[in-house]
Amino acid sequence: MSPWYAKLVFFLGVIGMAIVRAPHIKRSTAIKVVKSRNDILDKALVAFVSLGLVLPLVWMTTSAIAIADYALRPIPFAVGIFFFACGLWVLHRSHVDLGTNWSNTLELREGHQLVVQGVYRRIRHPMYVALLLYGLGQSLTLPNFIAGPSFFVPFAILVAFRMRREERMMLEKFGAEYEFYVSRTKRLVPGVW
Ligand code: SAH
């Protein structure tokens, strides 16, 4: 059984994500793509991540995965809400900083600029950090061992496959400028890794 407050947090998260992303998606997709590495692997991984929406809906509307339910406790629930909020905030900041250079996949757009400011100043993948935090939020607030981690796990796999390929694409495009950027930033955790 899915408690109403877990459902409420899930829908607020989905709506929050849509509100943060919609204007940027609209703006950046209007700009021509000049290089794409959107291959079958990346497409398959993006499709895999959509389980993070599908499985919670299955959990809420059927009893198909009710076997994996557990009792929701206040502290993990509160921590989950905190992660959700942090994730949405960093997602908003990274979209603002990346501007029209954003893509849902591995692409370079016309007039692509290397962004090194704002949330990109210390780490190279703040948007992925934001979505991982969002995924942890979902894991802690949906009391079901399948629906809960259904976004975090596929997304972490996508990030593991994508980061190096994305960095290789950026290095080919921006050369020494990107090398210098890499030398003074970390991937996901400021000052650590
Ligand atoms: N990995 C970044 C961006 C995710 S969006 C993050 O997590 O914040 C993916 C697209 O952003 C890539 O296709 C690439 O074209 C673009 N991109 C990644 N890092 C960038 C940067 N520092 N400046 C400009 N564009 C960047």
Side-chain angles (χ1 to χ4, degrees):
M1 227 227 6
S2 45
W4 67 268
Y5 37 89
K7 289 186 198 172
L8 177 68
V9 169
F10 175 76
F11 282 116
L12 288 178
V14 172
I15 292 168
M17 170 123 62
I19 291 174
V20 166
R21 301 187 90 167
H24 302 284
I25 293 176
K26 198 161 173 248
R27 237 171 6 126
S28 52
T29 48
I31 298 174
K32 214 172 118 193
V33 172
V34 288
K35 185 176 198 164
S36 177
R37 297 265 164 94
N38 184 15
D39 56 11
I40 183 83
L41 175 66
D42 210 72
K43 282 190 184 132
L45 289 167
V46 170
F48 186 37
V49 171
S50 63
L51 282 180
L53 182 65
V54 174
L55 287 173
L57 293 177
V58 168
W59 174 66
M60 286 174 199
T61 54
T62 73
S63 54
I65 54 173
I67 194 166
D69 281 356
Y70 63 88
L72 191 56
R73 301 172 76 92
I75 291 177
F77 188 62
V79 173
I81 291 174
F82 177 71
F83 281 153
F84 254 136
C86 292
L88 286 174
W89 173 248
V90 181
L91 190 67
H92 164 66
R93 289 309 321 163
S94 54
H95 270 289
V96 169
D97 291 336
L98 208 52
T100 53
N101 301 300
W102 176 83
S103 283
N104 196 33
T105 177
L106 293 179
E107 287 172 346
L108 291 167
R109 296 190 181 272
E110 210 163 57
H112 205 111
Q113 305 257 329
L114 179 63
V115 176
V116 298
Q117 290 305 325
V119 283
Y120 287 83
R121 203 162 61 85
R122 299 186 62 205
I123 50 169
R124 302 195 284 282
H125 303 286
M127 200 174 283
Y128 298 158
V129 170
L131 292 168
L132 289 169
L133 284 171
Y134 182 96
L136 282 178
Q138 179 171 314
S139 306
L140 291 169
T141 53
L142 291 190
N144 178 282
F145 289 117
I146 298 170
S150 62
F151 180 82
F152 181 81
V153 172
F155 192 73
I157 295 171
L158 178 137
V159 168
F161 274 98
R162 199 188 261 181
M163 268 188 318
R164 281 189 176 78
R165 305 173 77 215
E166 183 172 320
E167 292 184 358
R168 215 176 303 130
M169 180 183 82
M170 299 303 282
L171 184 65
E172 279 168 27
K173 165 77 181 162
F174 294 101
E177 192 187 356
Y178 192 70
E179 246 170 53
F180 179 59
Y181 176 57
V182 169
S183 74
R184 61 192 171 82
T185 50
K186 299 285 180 187
R187 282 201 167 108
L188 297 175
V189 185
V192 181
W193 186 77

